[in-house]
Amino acid sequence: MTTTTPLVDPRVIGLAHYAGRALLQQVLDRHGMAFEQSVTLRLAAIADGPVGREQLVDGVTEALRTGAGEVHGVLDELLAAGLLAPDGEAEVRITDAGRELYATTSAATAPITARIYDGIPEEDLAVTGRVLTLLTERYGTELATLTR
């Protein structure tokens, strides 16, 4: 029996996404962290310094295609947990505890990611990256059209 490689379609993309997210959630669960919190904390961690609360909300909203109200709730959770702290009236900054948690979860996922990507030719990764970036842009355009 011969199997053919499936063409990329929403199902293939979804299966890959949910497989990766399930793996990540296993790591995050060990630290009492939700996926949305992880995405938000990452954006604060990679910022050069304090980041505007609205800028952070916009970044998470764009990344997760979720509502701003939900993201404000996630920010409040991270502030209450001491992983983020206010910095002035409109900015937040990652705390030492937040930076440590981000580093810990990143370190835990790095070897898993390395094993998953091991042996995939760079050319294949480049093509996949281009296609997924284009699809993300097109999905975003369609979503914007539907939500007007």
Side-chain angles (χ1 to χ4, degrees):
M1 173 181 199
T2 310
T3 58
T4 58
T5 303
L7 295 176
V8 69
D9 64 14
R11 181 179 182 277
V12 170
I13 294 168
L15 290 173
H17 165 75
Y18 285 114
R21 184 164 171 179
L23 247 167
L24 174 60
Q25 193 60 58
Q26 289 292 313
V27 172
L28 297 175
D29 284 348
R30 290 185 226 144
H31 302 281
M33 190 172 207
F35 176 73
E36 296 79 6
Q37 292 173 328
S38 170
V39 171
T40 306
L41 194 62
R42 178 188 177 279
L43 289 177
I46 64 172
D48 288 333
V51 61
R53 185 179 173 110
E54 290 306 315
Q55 179 185 352
L56 195 54
V57 168
D58 289 347
V60 176
T61 300
E62 175 71 19
L64 299 181
R65 308 291 190 212
T66 191
E70 182 180 334
V71 179
H72 278 288
V74 171
L75 272 174
D76 291 341
E77 293 167 0
L78 293 171
L79 287 161
L83 301 172
L84 295 178
D87 193 291
E89 287 187 33
E91 294 186 322
V92 296
R93 62 176 171 74
I94 192 165
T95 63
D96 290 342
R99 194 165 300 287
E100 182 178 332
L101 179 58
Y102 173 72
T104 298
T105 57
S106 295
T109 58
I112 298 168
T113 301
R115 286 192 301 274
I116 291 167
Y117 283 76
D118 185 44
I120 300 175
E122 188 173 338
E123 307 82 48
D124 290 354
L125 293 173
V127 168
T128 303
R130 282 193 303 273
V131 170
L132 291 175
T133 298
L134 178 60
L135 289 173
T136 301
E137 290 170 3
R138 289 180 177 182
Y139 276 118
T141 299
E142 291 296 324
L143 182 61
T145 300
L146 290 173
T147 56
R148 281 187 221 175

